Amino acid sequence: MMKAITGTRDIFPDEIPKWNYLQSIVESVFTNYNYKEIRTPIFELTTLFARSIGEATDIVGKEMYTFLDRSGESITLRPEMTAGVVRAFIEHSIDKKQNLNKFFYSGPMFRQERPQAGRFRQFHQFGAEALGSNDPLLDAEMIIMAYDIFSLLGLKNLLVKINSLGIPSTRENYKNTLRKYIKPHLEKLTSESKKRFHTNILRLFDSKEKNDQKIMENAPLLIEYLDEESLQHFEKVKQALLSARVPFEIDARLVRGLDYYTDTTFEVVSGSVGSQSALCGGGRYNLLVKELGGGEIPGVGFAAGMERILLACENENSFTLEEKKLDLFIVALEKGLEKVAYQSAVNFRRKGLAVDLDYQNRSVKAQMREANRVNARFVLLVGGDEFTKGEIVLKNMSNGEQQSFAKDDFEKIFSTIKG
Ligand code: AMP
């Protein structure tokens, strides 16, 4: 039997309404904050991700779906969207048209991670990027938008964590301080953490190992080394969150794995989804546009995982959707009238009704059963004595009432069903 690739999922029709509901909330919130949708390709040159996300990250080092195409070019399925958005922004000189550009997106991403609850190899993210301003109000805006989306979905068990990574020079100095602190403990660290000590020392804070964590407990924290400008920036973000009534917590150990962050980083975690609890993450990345060959253009953004959000919604039972009913099921009461039934269905569908009928040559009883099974609001009975007299019967399935119409009076039947 052919099977889907490990870590990928089929999304069947019964799940689609909640995906569409999430998508509609995402679009309406981003639209209200004046973000415009952007769609970039699902695959890009590998160098784009290597340069933007950074060689020392798990994503680039271990998780990317990278392959040579038939012309020998190294291609990667996008593991996230920021790189693609920034590439498109630079390539098309979008900043020449207006200074500040606010984008949002949604779509599939690909990472070869170990699959578990809430972690997939093809998953979906929505997110936003604002390019062209260093205003801390935009950092806060990202967090507020994410929070608004989660609130509209009815999610409650949330924690917003924020931190500041400062500017690169502060960070480099701090890394030296951290190195000095770790050095005497180096041999006690796990091999993964030892590797990170050399490649991406900030990520030592991400270790899940008890012993590593114990060592990191007393480590100096970057937030204590921030310069005045970064401190002020951070203060403004906090003030904006307070005014917007977004509850948050400062987490000085929130470093995130990506190299391009500056100043604000944040994450929203849910207490309702188990160990993979981050619903979204993001931050400011003032160095990325330049790194990818553009100007000195600051940026800030975030990405949220849609599977995890829907899992949190399900676990919290945070919303219920009304089941969409079929407007009309057309039943042919006699052989030979299938064509009439079929053409009526086409006509009503073209007028905007959701209509179905039998395609399996089934008995009247079976057709009625089907009408019930699909939850049709009305059934149109084509045939019988009435039909010979030039009439057609419409049955209201919620109360069993039947009403006769002249059989070519589509308008009247239509408006009765439409209600
Ligand atoms: P990141 O791009 O790593 O900052 O991730 C942003 C968000 O995407 C996370 O908070 C998760 O909600 C989601 N996410 C990341 N990786 C996965 C994955 N492998 N499976 C499902 N969701 C993911």
Side-chain angles (χ1 to χ4, degrees):
M1 200 206 332
M2 299 282 272
K3 286 190 165 175
I5 291 172
T6 307
T8 68
R9 291 175 66 227
D10 302 302
I11 305 173
F12 283 103
D14 59 332
E15 283 188 86
I16 293 295
K18 63 183 188 191
W19 280 87
N20 287 342
Y21 181 62
L22 170 57
Q23 185 73 26
S24 70
I25 287 181
V26 165
E27 283 175 18
S28 74
V29 169
F30 284 143
T31 304
N32 290 350
Y33 285 83
N34 199 25
Y35 284 68
K36 308 278 187 211
E37 186 175 357
I38 183 167
R39 298 184 187 187
T40 64
I42 279 175
F43 57 108
E44 301 264 2
L45 292 179
T46 303
T47 46
L48 172 67
F49 302 114
R51 265 176 68 186
S52 62
I53 302 170
E55 302 279 358
T57 58
D58 284 352
I59 294 182
V60 175
K62 308 189 213 165
E63 298 168 359
M64 292 203 304
Y65 280 98
T66 297
F67 56 94
L68 294 182
D69 72 4
R70 284 168 200 277
S71 54
E73 197 97 70
S74 181
I75 304 287
T76 293
L77 300 184
R78 64 184 186 200
E80 52 100 64
M81 268 289 272
T82 306
V85 172
V86 171
R87 195 262 315 130
F89 172 83
I90 299 169
E91 183 177 343
H92 301 281
S93 305
I94 304 297
D95 58 310
K96 301 286 180 305
K97 294 171 200 143
Q98 63 189 46
N99 284 334
L100 175 61
N101 287 275
K102 306 207 287 186
F103 301 110
F104 78 90
Y105 61 81
S106 67
M109 310 294 155
F110 307 85
R111 295 182 198 172
Q112 192 163 5
E113 294 192 80
R114 195 171 51 78
Q116 61 182 92
R119 203 207 264 156
F120 303 94
R121 290 182 169 176
Q122 173 172 337
F123 58 100
H124 298 77
Q125 287 185 334
F126 65 80
E129 317 287 349
L131 295 162
S133 163
N134 190 37
D135 192 337
L137 292 180
L138 283 172
D139 309 30
E141 189 161 292
M142 294 296 157
I143 302 168
I144 297 168
M145 289 192 296
Y147 192 77
D148 283 1
I149 291 170
F150 299 151
S151 302
L152 283 170
L153 289 166
L155 286 174
K156 299 237 154 55
N157 201 355
L158 297 173
L159 178 60
V160 178
K161 301 195 282 187
I162 63 169
N163 190 21
S164 172
L165 299 179
I167 53 169
S169 57
T170 319
R171 199 152 67 221
E172 286 316 308
N173 286 337
Y174 163 76
K175 280 185 189 170
N176 284 331
T177 312
L178 188 59
R179 254 179 226 115
K180 274 195 206 126
Y181 166 81
I182 302 285
K183 235 182 184 146
H185 306 284
L186 193 55
E187 285 316 308
K188 285 180 264 164
L189 290 176
T190 53
S191 60
E192 180 67 29
S193 288
K194 252 186 236 160
K195 223 166 46 205
R196 284 179 177 170
F197 176 83
H198 298 288
T199 55
N200 198 349
I201 190 166
L202 288 184
R203 292 220 48 214
L204 287 180
F205 286 106
D206 289 344
S207 175
K208 300 270 183 286
E209 289 297 322
K210 282 249 155 17
N211 199 40
D212 291 354
Q213 285 178 346
K214 219 164 137 211
I215 294 167
M216 296 313 286
E217 242 169 47
N218 298 317
L221 297 170
L222 175 48
I223 203 155
E224 290 156 7
Y225 294 80
L226 296 183
D227 67 350
E228 194 47 37
E229 210 173 305
S230 288
L231 277 175
Q232 272 182 25
H233 189 101
F234 198 38
E235 196 49 45
K236 285 182 184 154
V237 175
K238 289 189 267 181
Q239 286 309 323
L241 292 178
L242 284 172
S243 320
R245 294 191 304 278
V246 174
F248 63 89
E249 198 177 282
I250 292 164
D251 180 354
R253 289 157 198 276
L254 177 70
V255 289
R256 298 183 50 78
L258 307 186
D259 279 353
Y260 52 62
Y261 284 118
T262 53
D263 284 320
T264 319
T265 58
F266 72 94
E267 216 169 73
V268 181
V269 298
S270 163
S272 310
V273 290
S275 69
Q276 298 303 306
S277 61
L279 298 190
C280 77
R284 179 161 281 286
Y285 49 84
N286 287 354
L287 307 172
L288 182 60
V289 181
K290 181 114 190 272
E291 174 61 34
L292 291 180
E296 280 194 16
I297 296 172
V300 59
F302 80 100
M306 297 173 83
E307 281 81 359
R308 264 182 224 179
I309 291 168
L310 289 175
L311 185 64
C313 292
E314 203 174 301
N315 291 348
E316 288 189 29
N317 215 343
S318 72
F319 65 82
T320 40
L321 297 176
E322 221 173 278
E323 201 184 329
K324 244 190 142 203
K325 288 190 167 180
L326 193 72
D327 292 316
L328 176 65
F329 195 88
I330 303 183
V331 171
L333 296 175
E334 294 150 37
K335 295 284 162 230
L337 288 176
E338 295 87 354
K339 257 183 162 157
V340 180
Y342 184 77
Q343 191 49 48
S344 309
V346 172
N347 292 343
F348 285 120
R349 286 160 172 165
R350 285 183 171 161
K351 285 180 79 68
L353 296 180
V355 184
D356 216 344
L357 72 167
D358 176 54
Y359 293 93
Q360 299 169 80
N361 227 335
R362 285 188 286 189
S363 68
V364 172
K365 213 167 142 198
Q367 291 183 59
M368 287 306 292
R369 250 202 321 269
E370 181 65 6
N372 272 315
R373 196 186 67 80
V374 298
N375 236 329
R377 292 171 49 233
F378 288 88
V379 168
L380 192 64
L381 301 160
V382 180
D385 291 346
E386 283 87 353
F387 200 74
T388 355
K389 282 189 283 171
E391 286 186 348
I392 200 162
V393 174
L394 183 70
K395 182 171 178 184
N396 184 332
M397 298 297 275
S398 60
N399 55 18
E401 265 172 30
Q402 302 205 2
Q403 213 180 331
S404 295
F405 296 86
K407 71 179 173 194
D408 47 12
D409 199 352
F410 273 107
E411 276 312 319
K412 238 195 186 136
I413 301 171
F414 172 75
S415 51
T416 307
I417 297 172
K418 195 86 193 151

